[in-house]
């Protein structure tokens, strides 16, 4: 009796001698390929059976469970079926998804995971798939090994291939074509090239980077030469220019010759002869092009569609961009030149010219579509870069206009400042500083930082700076200024918080009064070169509602010392914390030059010219003070005789200072101001004379009523005092203070 081949096997239909091992749940990474199925013959007998005269053996069908998870199971099942079907003319194999642009058919896989096909096929495209042909019976043979270069290209990670340069996509396609001889995929190659090229073009954030990426993508992968002309100036948004624009050559890129071995002398002579013969054929683009609004070039750019250089009637436009000789060669050489307009969302931005040399195949109609896509993505990138640059300029201008254009020159102090925006200019911050003159030759030094980087932060910074200036004019103490600033910030209804430090310097008393709202402590550079971080109660930031209030501290301010106020961008970065940054700042200040301007540059250190994570505001004040022998101060009782007493004191002091020429005018003005103060004062009146670069007189009383100058009529008995002060003094003013008001006037010193 004839036995079936699988009679002695197990329950799964496998031969007894080749029982399947137990399923361990793990699949081998590189299973050994199954032996090729035998070539079917005209005999119906199966070659697996030793008895060719007996009945035809029928192998058991493999169960689904046995075939699942085993790469060779499907092939063995196909081999058994092929042996059972005598009419089959081609062995069945495992099905694989056909690659776009190729016909479906049997395929295997290499160890790198790339599909390979050992049989040559007729090239086809994905748009017109063809039915698989039935080849003549042939003996089975193992697939030929793939070339090493193709295997290396195919085994590259998917992420690396996706982010490769545009030329890498073409090299990858060439490697795949080497794995599958005879298969060409021009459409797929173009898609891969466009995918990589547009990705690199679109990543630029400035104009130069966008155009540079276009040239790198086009040359040499797509063309041998690329010229980019842009309008100057470039149109922005909905702006329209009455005058026709001017095209200027922005970028010219040419393909470099391939690297070869050192040539021989004969090869050098031949190359020089060839170069001399073709020197006249090198295309040079025009540096400046002034297209006529009704000319052919302007019309071509307005259409937004690329054209070949040999298109009918296009020679005048090519001649404007490249010259008449290049236009004639383009018309005679076939499709080797493409002119593509760079058309933005609403304006023409420029033109792009792509040229292929004689040693390369001409452009095709599909290449014209590729050039159109490159031009479209480049125009969008240029439009984005121009808008980004405009936004950055607006943000930077907004913040700089909110900073003081110049610092005052108060007596007894020398001021200097620096402001550096962040490296990413569009991300404007909220750092600010200010110096505000106060009554009594005092000066308020303010620095602050609004949290965040946005236009909103800059706008809030401007509002807070205005509030501080208003509060400083009331001559409040630093803690009161911060308390009112916090209340006003809450009324603004903004979620942004800010830090602020307010310092008040009195050059007469050589004292410094400071209060802080969560800001970094200032650094004091002493005259002997030592540095000190001033201990100031930090307080809560502005805008969080400081119920506990703020605290002012009074510190000595010796003459020759320098106070440095700064924001966190100076001492904090990604690689160092605040404490480390403050210590570095102290080290730089200890070795700083004496000049205050150079001291500010030295304090910035490497941040002045390097990349900055945050914007930096810096305010430095060099204390000079006012000598005691140049200050005279008196308390006067508010009575009618006080005006005469003030005149006598003023006369005696001016003679002592050697200012006899100013005695008469100063006595008259002091008498008028003191007489007005006597009318409203209930407490002693203060009279102070200061001789610095000008002669300054200050009269203070406890009344908050500020006098106003008016023009008295002939019949009026009063109202002429402030008019006389206005006519005789260089400048004068009245300021409300916490204790009342101060009326002051100044006169220039005689030469």
């Amino acid at each position: 009796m004839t036995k079936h081949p699988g009679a002695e096997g197990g329950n799964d239909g496998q031969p007894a001698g080749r029982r399947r091992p137990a399923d361990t749940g793990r699949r081998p990474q590189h299973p050994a390929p199954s032996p090729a199925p035998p070539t079917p013959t005209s005999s119906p007998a199966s070659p697996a059976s030793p008895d060719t005269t007996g009945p035809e053996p029928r192998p058991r069908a493999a169960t689904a469970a046995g075939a699942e998870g085993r790469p060779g199971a499907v092939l063995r099942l196909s081999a058994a079926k092929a042996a059972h079907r005598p009419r089959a003319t081609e062995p069945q194999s495992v099905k694989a998804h056909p690659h776009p642009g190729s016909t479906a058919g049997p395929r295997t896989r290499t160890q790198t995971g790339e599909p390979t096909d050992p049989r040559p096929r007729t090239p086809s495209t994905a748009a017109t798939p063809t039915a698989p042909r039935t080849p003549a019976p042939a003996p089975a043979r193992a697939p030929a090994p793939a070339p090493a270069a193709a295997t290396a290209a195919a085994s590259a990670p998917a992420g690396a291939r996706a982010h490769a340069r545009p030329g890498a996509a073409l090299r990858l396609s060439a490697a795949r074509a080497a794995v599958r001889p005879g298969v060409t995929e021009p459409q797929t190659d173009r898609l891969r090239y466009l995918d990589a090229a547009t990705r690199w073009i679109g990543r630029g954030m400035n104009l130069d980077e966008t155009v540079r990426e276009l040239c790198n993508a086009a040359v040499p992968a797509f063309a041998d030469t690329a010229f980019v002309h842009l309008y100057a100036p470039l149109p922005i948004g909905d702006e329209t220019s009455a005058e026709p624009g001017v095209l200027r050559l922005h970028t010219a890129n040419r393909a470099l010759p391939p690297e070869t071995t050192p040539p021989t002398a004969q090869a050098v002579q031949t190359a020089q002869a060839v170069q001399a013969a073709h020197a006249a054929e090198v295309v040079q683009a025009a540096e400046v092009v002034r297209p006529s609004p009704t000319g052919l070039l302007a019309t071509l750019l307005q259409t937004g569609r690329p054209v070949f250089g040999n298109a009918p009637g296009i020679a005048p436009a090519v001649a404007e961009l490249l010259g008449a000789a290049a236009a004639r060669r383009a018309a005679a050489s076939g499709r080797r030149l493409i002119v593509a307009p760079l058309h933005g969302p609403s304006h023409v931005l420029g033109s792009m010219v792509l040229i292929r040399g004689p040693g390369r195949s001409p452009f095709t109609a599909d290449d014209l579509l590729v050039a159109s896509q490159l031009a479209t993505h480049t125009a969008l990138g240029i439009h984005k870069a121009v808008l980004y640059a405009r936004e950055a300029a607006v943000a930077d201008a907004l913040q700089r206009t909110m900073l003081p254009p110049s610092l005052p020159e108060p007596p007894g102090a020398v001021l200097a400042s620096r402001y550096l925006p962040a490296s990413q200019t569009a991300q404007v911050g909220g750092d600010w500083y200010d110096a505000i003159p106060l009554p009594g030759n005092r000066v308020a030094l303010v620095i602050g930082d609004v949290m965040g980087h946005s236009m909103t932060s800059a706008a809030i910074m401007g509002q807070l700076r205005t509030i501080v200036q208003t509060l400083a004019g009331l001559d409040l103490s630093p803690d009161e200024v911060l308390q009112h600033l916090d209340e006003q910030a809450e009324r603004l209804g903004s979620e942004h918080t800010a830090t602020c430090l307010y310092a008040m310097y009195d050059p007469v008393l050589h004292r410094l009064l400071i209060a802080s709202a969560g800001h970094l402590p200032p650094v004091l550079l002493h005259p002997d070169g030592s540095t000190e971080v001033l201990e100031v109660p930090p307080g809560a930031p502005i805008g969080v509602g400081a119920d506990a209030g703020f605290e002012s501290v009074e510190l000595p301010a010796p003459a020759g010392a320098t106070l440095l106020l700064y924001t966190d961008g100076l001492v904090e970065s990604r690689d160092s914390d605040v404490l480390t940054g403050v210590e570095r700042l102290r080290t730089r200040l200890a070795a700083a030059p004496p000049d205050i301007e150079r001291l500010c540059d030295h304090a910035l250190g490497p941040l002045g010219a390097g990349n900055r994570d945050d914007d930096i505001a810096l305010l430095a004040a060099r204390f000079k003070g006012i000598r005691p022998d140049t200050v005279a101060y008196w308390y006067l009782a508010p009575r009618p005789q006080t005006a005469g007493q003030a005149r006598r004191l003023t006369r005696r002091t001016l003679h002592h200072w050697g200012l006899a020429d100013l005695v008469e005018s100063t006595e008259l003005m002091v008498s008028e101001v003191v007489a007005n103060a006597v009318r409203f004062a209930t407490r002693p009146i203060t009279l102070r004379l200061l001789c610095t670069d000008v002669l300054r007189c200050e009269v203070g009383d406890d009344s908050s009523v500020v006098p106003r100058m008016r023009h008295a009529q002939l019949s009026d008995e009063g109202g002429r005092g402030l008019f006389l002060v206005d006519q005789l003094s260089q400048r004068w003013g009245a300021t409300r203070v916490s204790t009342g008001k101060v009326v002051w006037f100044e006169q220039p010193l005689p030469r």
Side-chain angles (χ1 to χ4, degrees), residues 289-307:
V289 180
R290 292 180 172 83
S292 173
T294 58
L296 180 60
L297 179 58
T299 304
L300 172 63
L301 298 181
Q302 286 291 342
T303 58
R305 293 188 296 271
V307 295

Side-chain angles (χ1 to χ4, degrees), residues 501 516 519-523 533-536 564-566 578 582 585:
L501 189 140
S516 174
H519 201 80
L520 296 173
V523 177
V533 179
L534 301 182
E535 296 183 0
V536 181
L564 195 68
L565 311 181
Y566 54 90
V578 175
V582 172
L585 176 61

Side-chain angles (χ1 to χ4, degrees), residues 500-556:
C500 182
L501 189 140
Y502 189 96
M504 184 186 299
Y505 171 63
D506 191 337
V508 177
L509 302 177
H510 295 273
R511 304 296 292 177
L512 192 64
L513 200 60
I514 307 178
S516 174
H519 201 80
L520 296 173
V523 177
L524 184 64
L525 176 63
H526 291 276
D528 58 357
S530 61
T531 58
E532 176 187 3
V533 179
L534 301 182
E535 296 183 0
V536 181
I542 300 297
V544 300
D547 298 333
F550 302 93
E551 182 180 354
S552 297
V553 294
E554 187 175 356
L555 302 171

Side-chain angles (χ1 to χ4, degrees), residues 418 420 564 569-571 581 584-589 592-593 597-612 616 618:
R418 294 291 185 274
L420 298 178
L564 195 68
L570 181 63
V571 296
R584 292 177 180 174
L585 176 61
R586 293 182 60 183
T587 303
R588 292 195 296 267
L589 290 178
E597 295 291 342
R598 296 176 57 192
L599 182 143
C600 291
D601 296 334
H602 197 79
L604 294 175
L607 297 176
N611 294 329
R612 296 174 293 275
I616 299 174
L618 179 67

Side-chain angles (χ1 to χ4, degrees), residues 361-433:
S361 60
F363 291 112
T364 63
D366 292 335
D367 293 333
L368 199 65
L369 299 178
V370 173
S372 177
Q373 289 295 317
L374 292 178
T376 300
H377 284 272
T378 302
L380 294 177
I382 293 175
H383 181 72
K384 177 186 65 176
V386 171
L387 292 181
Y388 178 81
R390 184 185 187 186
E391 180 183 353
V394 170
D396 186 67
L398 173 64
Q399 186 168 21
R400 290 188 179 275
T401 53
M402 291 184 178
L403 296 175
S406 61
L407 294 176
E409 298 179 359
V414 179
L415 305 179
S417 64
R418 294 291 185 274
Y419 172 76
L420 298 178
S423 298
Q424 297 181 351
T425 315
Q427 298 205 354
V428 61
D431 294 13
W432 94 90
Y433 62 88

Side-chain angles (χ1 to χ4, degrees), residues 680 701 703-709 722 732-737 740-743:
F680 300 97
D701 60 79
S703 174
S704 60
V705 179
V706 177
R708 295 181 300 172
M709 186 182 65
L722 291 181
W732 71 279
T735 306
R736 286 191 176 94
V737 295
K741 68 175 181 294
V742 173
V743 180

Side-chain angles (χ1 to χ4, degrees), residues 165-167 193 197 200-201 203 209-222 226 251 253:
R165 285 277 185 178
Y193 169 75
W200 284 89
I201 293 173
R203 72 172 188 170
E209 184 180 1
T210 300
V211 178
R212 182 174 62 251
E213 293 298 341
L214 164 66
C215 294
N216 292 339
V219 179
F222 185 70
T251 305
N253 195 5

